[in-house]
Structures are given as structure tokens and as C-alpha cells.
Amino acid sequence: MKKRKIKLILVLATVLLSLFTSLNVVTSYVKMKKTVEESIANQSLEAAISIASSLDVKQYQQFLNNPVESKDYWELRSYLNDAREKLGALFVYTLEIDNPQVSKALIAGVPDSYTEGFEIGQICTVPEKQIKLAYKGLTYVTNVIEDPNHGDYLSVGAPIKNENGQIIGYLGIDIGADKVNGIKGKVLENNLLMFIYNGLFILIVIASFFFLQRWYQKEVTKEVGVTEDTYQAEIKALITSVSSLRHDFTNHIQVLHGLLQLGEQEQAKQYLSSLSKDVQAIKSLKLNINHPGLSILLQTKKLAAQNHNIEMDISVSQDAFINIKTTDLIKLLSNLIDNAIDATTELPESERKMTICCHADEAKYVFEIINTGPTISEPDQIFKQGFTTKKPEFGKIRGQGLFIVKEVVKKYNGNISIQTTAELETTATVIIPLK
């Protein structure tokens, strides 16, 4: 169920990422096209303003007084046609705007051979929205206009003013849609690498997401496996200890039952008195520790120590040890304590002693395990994977415990030292810095 949820989240995240990135590419494309149109329109508008200001207004005024194909008309038409050719525009022409709805073309800058379709006073296709702006004396810019006669084009207009600053007409420029589209194509072609980069970016992000998800799953599986092995070992030790206690309890009951049947009440009382020490020892297993995982671990180890007749003292600070993962804390201490128990059991029962200290302050955690036992002959080798001082046993892999401890300590930038003395005492100290 958990894997299905992870896969669902992964698929959903991939779809959303692809969707948002695709929308970004499409938005960039549309915005780029719009920017190209606006740029061409603004350049054309600047040209219209320049041509309008350089037009011979006296000659144009004379034409307006008598709007026919006169000498003034042909000279102005030639001037506008020259401007059209230099701009590469579709048309350059003058307009009469005497109402806010319809405009009329007066002089069209086209070659002299064009005799039809450019009559004086012909209704122009400039939209009403732009005509209203011109009627107020403002410049205008249109979107692409669909014209069945002359094709699609973008139009701009600027006022023509006389010497007194009065508006006597408008100068319009039409830029063919094919030219606009050609410039768009070049711009898009120049930005093709950007779109390819966006596509590659999507693939890289998705691939990275898959890789990180796979890596995370492997790390979690590995962590769970190691943790499960650790806890299973502790549970097995606990079950063994409980079974041992149960076996001893059965034997004690049988002895008491036999003594009572024989009428040896006084011996039965003495036997019960001797058992009270064991009962007190079991009660002492309960530890007042704030960290649940640490509390369970130490209770389990103390029970194991009792089964091996090891005198164990435990000292733990009232701290939750939140700066180290519970799994790492268990791996660290369980391996050190197990090694200490194994070493201690090589001594006679009267010499078996252990002390476990887990202390914390503002700067560091200190974990210390002291045990009686044989001297370590090669202290420089004990942290290497596979190295062990214990006798080989069938079915058991040796030399892993201290290597695991070393890896955990390294993970938290801490340090570990193991010192042994001639008095058959070994001290393992781990310091984990908190800053």
C-alpha cells in the first residue's frame, strides 16, 4: 500500500511538473510573439511620426483644399511611396478622420502604375477603436487586421500637424502580416535553444526525481533492514532471558512445593527469603529514562547481564537525546554493550562488572561503557570490518559490531576511543558533538 502511494505521488508530481513546464513554454512562446508584434508596431509608429513631421504640410494643405489628382497629389504620393519602399511596408498613406467611427484614405504611397483600388476618399479598414483614438488626436496601433483585398496587416497612425500645431490629417503605415510572421519566425528560431533547454530541463528534473526516489527507497530499505536486524537480536535476547526466568521460576515452585509436602516449613521460609534478592533484582530492571527506545534497550541488556551474573550499573541523564536518531542510538549502544557482555563473561562470576553512562550537556552527548574483561591486544584493528578477537562460531558473522559503531559515530562527526588497562578493565567512550 505504501509503495502504491509513493508511485501515485511520483506519477502525479511528474504530470504536474510536465504540465507546468509545458505551460511555461507555451506562455513564453505566446508572449514572445506578442512582444515581436508590439516591437514592430512601436518601430512603425516611430516611423509614422517621423514621416508625418517631415511631410510638406503646406503642399498637403493645398491638396486638402482641392482633393483631386493634382500636381500636389502626385508629388505627395511619390514621397509616400518612397517612404514605403524604404520601410518595406505594405502601404504608407494619409487619412482623413472627421468622425469617431469611419476614416477615409486620401493619398496612398503606391507606385504610379497602381491606378485602381486607391481612390481619394476610399473608406479605410482601420478599426473603430483606433479611429476613436485618432479622433481625439492620439496615435494608434492595431492588432493584425484581416483584409480580403490587401491581405492581413498591422496598422499604425500618427497625426499630421500644420505650422500652428493643428491636426490636419493622419499618416498611416500598414505592415504586412507576412513580414511580421517572418520576423516572428526568425526570433523564434533564434530562441529555439531556449525551448530545447526547457525541454531538457523537464527531462533532467524528472530523471533526477526518479533517481532520488529510487535512492531514497534503497536507503530506507537498508536502514529498515539494519534496524530490524538489531531489534530482532534484542527481542531474541529478551525472549531467551524471559524463558530463563520462567524456567528458574518453575524450578523454584517445585522446590517450595516439595519442601511444604515434606513439612519443612522453616526451610521453605529460608528458601523464599533467598529468592527475595532475585525479586528485587527483577524490580530494579525498571529504569526512569526519558527516551523510550533507550529505556527498552537498557532494560533488555540489564536482564541479559543478570542472566550472566554480571553486576551492571546504569546512569542516564534526564535528556531525550533528540539530536541522534533512535535507530542510530540503538545500533551504537547495543553493539558496544554486547561486546562488553561477551568480554565480561570470560571472567569468573565474582569479577564480572559493567557500568553504562549516557550523559548529555549543551555541547555534546557522551556514552561510556566500562567493563571488566581481557586486555585488547590490537586496539588499532578493532574498528576494521571483519576484525574480531572472539572465537569463530558456526553460522555467526564476526567483526561487524565495532565497524557499525564507527560508521554511526562518523555520521554525527563524533569520535570514539577504546582503552584497556592492566587491571582487566576496558572503557569505550563515544562523544557526539551537538554544535
Side-chain angles (χ1 to χ4, degrees):
M1 181 64 74
K2 187 175 181 180
K3 288 185 177 180
R4 288 182 61 188
K5 287 183 178 179
I6 292 175
K7 287 183 179 179
L8 182 61
I9 293 171
L10 180 62
V11 171
L12 182 60
T14 304
V15 171
L16 289 175
L17 180 63
S18 302
L19 177 62
F20 288 141
T21 308
S22 300
L23 286 175
N24 180 47
V25 172
V26 172
T27 303
S28 299
Y29 174 78
V30 173
K31 187 176 181 181
M32 191 177 296
K33 288 178 65 177
K34 185 69 175 176
T35 301
V36 170
E37 289 184 7
E38 290 178 354
S39 178
I40 294 173
N42 290 332
Q43 290 179 8
S44 300
L45 183 59
E46 290 296 324
I49 294 172
S50 176
I51 295 171
S53 63
S54 61
L55 190 70
D56 189 339
V57 292
K58 290 184 178 180
Q59 189 177 37
Y60 188 62
Q61 186 64 62
Q62 290 177 1
F63 164 75
L64 291 177
N65 294 334
N66 184 24
V68 294
E69 294 183 3
S70 60
K71 179 182 177 182
D72 293 328
Y73 168 83
W74 288 107
E75 288 179 357
L76 290 169
R77 176 168 167 169
S78 177
Y79 171 76
L80 295 177
N81 183 55
D82 182 62
R84 180 190 68 81
E85 291 177 348
K86 290 178 180 178
L87 289 174
L90 186 62
F91 299 114
V92 176
Y93 52 94
T94 63
L95 290 168
E96 179 186 29
I97 300 177
D98 55 4
N99 67 79
Q101 294 179 331
V102 179
S103 62
K104 299 176 183 177
L106 296 181
I107 304 176
V110 293
D112 294 347
S113 58
Y114 284 54
T115 57
E116 295 182 1
F118 299 96
E119 294 81 6
I120 298 172
Q122 181 178 341
I123 300 299
C124 194
T125 57
V126 177
E128 185 177 338
K129 179 181 177 181
Q130 280 71 31
I131 293 174
K132 288 181 179 179
L133 292 174
Y135 188 71
K136 295 177 181 178
L138 304 174
T139 58
Y140 66 82
V141 175
T142 71
N143 295 320
V144 175
I145 299 171
E146 295 181 0
D147 190 330
N149 296 321
H150 304 293
D152 299 343
Y153 56 86
L154 181 151
S155 185
V156 300
I160 302 171
K161 299 180 181 179
N162 61 17
E163 295 176 348
N164 297 324
Q166 294 176 331
I167 297 175
I168 58 176
Y170 262 77
L171 188 129
I173 298 177
D174 293 346
I175 306 296
D178 55 345
K179 182 178 180 180
V180 176
N181 293 331
I183 296 174
K184 285 181 186 177
K186 289 183 179 179
V187 173
L188 294 176
E189 184 180 343
N190 293 335
N191 287 274
L192 182 62
L193 286 177
M194 184 188 74
F195 293 115
I196 295 174
Y197 171 79
N198 285 339
L200 290 175
F201 176 76
I202 296 174
L203 295 176
I204 291 171
V205 170
I206 293 174
S208 300
F209 194 79
F210 272 107
F211 173 78
L212 289 174
Q213 190 265 344
R214 289 293 185 106
W215 173 83
Y216 177 75
Q217 281 188 334
K218 286 183 179 179
E219 288 297 312
V220 169
T221 303
K222 180 181 177 182
E223 188 74 19
V224 169
V226 173
T227 304
E228 185 177 353
D229 291 342
T230 303
Y231 277 109
Q232 282 186 356
E234 298 305 323
I235 290 171
K236 287 179 181 178
L238 182 60
I239 291 172
T240 302
S241 299
V242 171
S243 298
S244 177
L245 287 173
R246 182 177 179 276
H247 182 266
D248 291 343
F249 176 76
T250 302
N251 290 335
H252 293 320
I253 293 298
Q254 288 176 348
V255 170
L256 284 171
H257 183 262
L259 288 173
L260 291 173
Q261 276 190 331
L262 295 172
E264 301 290 342
Q265 285 86 356
E266 193 63 33
Q267 288 189 24
K269 287 180 181 180
Q270 292 177 1
Y271 193 82
L272 277 172
S273 178
S274 66
L275 287 178
S276 65
K277 292 181 180 179
D278 292 338
V279 173
Q280 292 299 322
I282 293 172
K283 285 184 177 180
S284 68
L285 287 175
K286 187 174 181 180
L287 303 174
N288 185 23
I289 298 175
N290 289 339
H291 193 294
L294 181 58
S295 177
I296 294 171
L297 174 70
L298 294 181
Q299 288 182 62
T300 303
K301 296 306 181 185
K302 190 164 187 178
L303 183 58
Q306 286 182 4
N307 290 332
H308 289 90
N309 296 310
I310 300 172
E311 182 184 331
M312 178 182 284
D313 292 325
I314 297 175
S315 175
V316 180
S317 299
Q318 292 299 312
D319 191 277
F321 297 97
I322 59 174
N323 290 317
I324 181 170
K325 289 171 62 177
T326 300
T327 53
D328 290 334
L329 183 60
I330 298 301
K331 285 190 285 187
L332 178 73
L333 290 177
S334 64
N335 281 292
L336 289 175
I337 295 171
D338 286 344
N339 281 351
I341 290 175
D342 288 343
T344 304
T345 53
E346 295 186 24
L347 299 178
E349 291 185 3
S350 60
E351 299 178 14
R352 297 177 183 178
K353 294 181 181 180
M354 281 185 62
T355 302
I356 300 173
C357 299
C358 303
H359 293 162
D361 56 33
E362 295 180 355
K364 61 186 179 301
Y365 293 151
V366 179
F367 305 103
E368 192 173 60
I369 291 87
I370 305 170
N371 67 277
T372 56
T375 301
I376 298 175
S377 58
E378 299 179 80
D380 296 334
Q381 303 294 319
I382 57 177
F383 293 112
K384 292 184 178 180
Q385 189 172 17
F387 179 83
T388 180
T389 59
K390 301 171 186 175
K391 295 179 181 180
E393 291 184 32
F394 180 76
K396 285 190 175 182
I397 300 175
R398 296 293 193 181
Q400 301 298 318
L402 289 179
F403 174 76
I404 293 172
V405 170
K406 184 71 174 178
E407 291 298 305
V408 172
V409 173
K410 183 179 178 182
K411 178 180 177 180
Y412 291 92
N413 298 318
N415 60 73
I416 179 173
S417 63
I418 296 181
Q419 298 178 340
T420 185
T421 63
E423 289 78 18
L424 299 179
E425 184 178 273
T426 300
T427 302
T429 305
V430 173
I431 298 176
I432 304 293
L434 302 182
K435 295 181 181 179

